[in-house]
């Protein structure tokens, strides 16, 4: 799925919700836990329940890798179950020297046909280029993350007076285009979004941290939206585990519908004309 | 394997060689390529040929993930084939928010029983702590890498006049001990090792970049060795693909023996008394 298809979906659904499939078998309803392929059954039910309200799904690879072969099998079947109308993100945070990054890019864009993969920036240009060479896919680089540890390095000041994360976003933005490059910016850092939009007015931003991590959808939309919306707001735990009873899917539908409705409101209020 | 067992192996073998199993099916000898499980057969032959000359094996996960389920199966069987006398490293460069990093730590330390895993530092403390909680395992954090892209961010100057990588190593060194924390420092940056040893005199360093990437074993040993040796020098391509003929295993043995002999010499010359 390319950028104009993604913006088309956002417009049609009046939603920029991405549902995060960080499925933890210990947190899914008890009646499912004992069944074979419990995680896959859970994911399918969540996808069925939320697909009308979201435009993207983000699969966090860690929650699948931890189960070894079985986990990768579930990841693959989950990915296959996502409708082709939805943008798919492998949240894998990979990155290595050039020849190794090329293998990771091939993994997520060819072995598995994700539309996008998240990438860590520390090792610089040759660690990111192999992903960007897939010009019909999206590389989503960590900019400013939603966790407490963002303060340790991302907020270090450089000798030019900028934050380190600003140097990262600024430099990397010249390596790709709005058609193959996005950045992760945590919702917990909403006040920085105004500043980030000065550096990258047109790239899409993947925004984790709304919901369980405490970020505000309103603030993110106010400071981060551009004329194509330019936002994919990821919500994981608040939707997946909204109910731990047999009604988990209906409750997930209700909660994701609420997010979609809030987003419709935000698009009316904040989309620049 | 803990630190004293590792240093014991280094002493006994007079070697600090780590063989990097970055096995690329397109580069292994033609007579193997057509056979089922060619990569596994190749890895087993390389392990048999090199085990007397090295103390560690590093499995680069990218080269296995790219083959999907089959790749993870080969990774698992390769790991199982490594003798218990050898230190095992998952070169996976993972790192995410706390609850996700906990899944990655469980993946490499429990689902697969690696002795160590490489971790990316960008997201700060809560992305690294879950790995360090395994006090009988090693977390190997990227410090200064061997690739050209190291210049992009690792060598940015902060407002305190330090390089960014120095801030990373300095801060993270307080989160772990010499018994559960190592750093990656590229051999191509050997001149920086003297400086790095002032920040972290006692942690082990994993040194990639000798061989195909052009780093010097002599320089690395001169500037990086501490009284326990404190170095694991990784060599991948120069050993794996030393011959692309049927004699690949014998040639790998010859080349790794040459490295081991050079290391014996370096230990005599540079080990502080």
């Amino acid at each position: 799925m390319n950028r104009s298809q993604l913006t088309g979906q956002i417009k049609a659904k009046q939603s920029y919700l991405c549902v995060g499939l960080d499925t933890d078998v210990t947190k899914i309803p008890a009646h499912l836990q004992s069944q074979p392929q419990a995680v896959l059954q859970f994911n399918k039910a969540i996808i069925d329940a939320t697909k009308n309200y979201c435009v993207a799904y983000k699969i966090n690879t860690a929650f699948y890798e931890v189960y070894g072969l079985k986990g990768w099998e579930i990841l693959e079947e989950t990915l296959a179950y996502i409708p082709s109308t939805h943008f798919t993100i492998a949240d894998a945070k990979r990155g290595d020297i050039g020849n190794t990054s090329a293998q990771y890019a091939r993994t997520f864009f060819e072995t598995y046909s994700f539309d996008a993969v998240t990438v860590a920036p520390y090792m610089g240009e040759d660690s990111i280029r192999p992903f960007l060479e897939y010009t019909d896919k999206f590389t989503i680089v960590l900019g400013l993350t939603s966790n407490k540890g963002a303060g340790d390095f991302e907020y270090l000041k450089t000798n030019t007076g900028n934050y380190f994360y600003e140097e990262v976003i600024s430099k990397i933005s010249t390596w790709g285009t709005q058609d193959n490059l996005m950045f992760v910016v945590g919702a917990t850092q909403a006040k920085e979004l105004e500043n980030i939009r000065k550096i990258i007015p047109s790239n899409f931003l993947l925004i984790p941290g709304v919901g369980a991590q405490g970020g505000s959808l309103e603030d993110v939309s106010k400071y981060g939206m551009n004329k194509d919306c330019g936002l994919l707001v990821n919500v994981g735990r608040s939707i997946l585990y909204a109910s731990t009873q047999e009604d988990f899917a209906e409750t997930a539908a209700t909660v994701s519908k609420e997010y979609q409705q809030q987003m419709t409101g935000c698009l009316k209020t904040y989309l620049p004309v």
Side-chain angles (χ1 to χ4, degrees), chain A:
Chain A
M1 177 177 291
N2 63 26
R3 191 181 203 274
S4 78
Q5 289 165 325
L6 175 60
T7 54
Q9 286 293 322
I10 291 172
K11 214 167 175 179
K13 282 186 172 157
Q14 290 289 294
S15 167
Y16 40 101
L17 178 63
C18 174
V19 173
L21 297 167
D22 311 2
T23 310
D24 182 341
V25 76
T26 64
K27 288 189 184 157
I28 70 178
H31 75 281
L32 278 180
Q33 283 190 29
S34 57
Q35 294 184 39
Q37 298 209 290
V39 169
L40 181 61
Q41 285 188 52
F42 178 83
N43 286 351
K44 285 183 171 179
I46 291 286
I47 292 166
D48 288 338
T50 59
K51 66 185 175 189
N52 291 335
Y53 311 113
C54 70
V55 294
Y57 289 97
K58 180 170 81 63
I59 296 182
N60 186 325
T61 56
F63 287 79
Y64 299 85
E65 291 183 38
V66 71
Y67 301 115
L69 292 182
K70 228 178 349 178
W72 282 96
E73 212 160 33
I74 292 170
L75 180 149
E76 205 170 338
E77 291 181 54
T78 299
L79 181 64
Y81 195 76
I82 296 172
S84 63
T85 44
H86 288 65
F87 189 76
T88 55
I89 302 167
D91 193 3
K93 299 189 173 70
R94 301 296 200 264
D96 207 308
I97 64 171
N99 75 322
T100 301
S101 272
Q103 299 290 336
Y104 281 129
R106 220 180 115 201
T107 301
F108 293 105
F109 292 150
E110 296 187 43
T111 306
Y112 308 95
S113 291
F114 282 97
D115 294 313
V117 62
T118 57
V119 170
Y122 191 70
M123 294 178 68
E125 186 165 354
D126 61 291
S127 73
I128 293 173
R129 284 274 180 209
F131 294 96
L132 289 168
E133 274 165 21
Y134 290 78
T135 51
D136 58 339
K137 301 280 188 175
F138 279 91
T139 305
I140 310 180
V141 181
L142 299 181
L144 182 57
T145 58
S146 58
N147 62 323
K148 191 166 165 250
D152 288 319
F153 305 120
E154 298 168 28
Y155 273 114
L156 279 187
K157 279 262 173 112
T158 68
N159 65 355
T160 59
N162 294 325
Y163 288 124
F164 185 67
Y165 86 81
E166 293 175 296
E167 300 278 357
V168 164
I169 291 176
S170 171
K171 191 171 242 182
I172 293 174
S173 70
T174 65
W175 301 340
T177 71
Q178 64 174 22
D179 293 320
N180 69 347
L181 177 63
M182 301 186 182
F183 289 91
V184 172
V185 178
T188 50
Q189 322 284 346
K191 68 178 170 12
E192 299 288 340
L193 272 166
E194 220 171 352
N195 170 40
I196 289 169
R197 274 300 182 207
K198 288 180 195 150
I199 312 173
I200 41 166
S202 54
N203 297 85
F204 257 85
L205 306 178
L206 173 63
I207 314 260
V210 163
Q213 293 179 62
S216 151
L217 174 62
E218 189 81 19
D219 287 351
V220 157
S221 307
K222 184 172 172 184
Y223 297 116
M225 206 175 272
N226 68 16
K227 67 177 173 35
D228 295 321
C229 177
L231 300 174
L232 285 173
V233 170
N234 184 73
V235 182
R237 287 171 272 177
S238 316
I239 290 173
L240 301 191
Y241 314 124
S243 160
T244 55
Q245 308 301 312
E246 299 207 5
D247 66 347
F248 73 96
E250 295 90 311
T251 315
T254 305
V255 174
S256 55
K257 189 179 180 183
E258 283 165 11
Y259 276 112
Q260 182 267 329
Q261 286 172 339
Q262 278 184 59
M263 288 177 178
T264 304
C266 287
L267 282 165
K268 277 200 188 101
T269 312
Y270 300 116
L271 197 74
V273 281

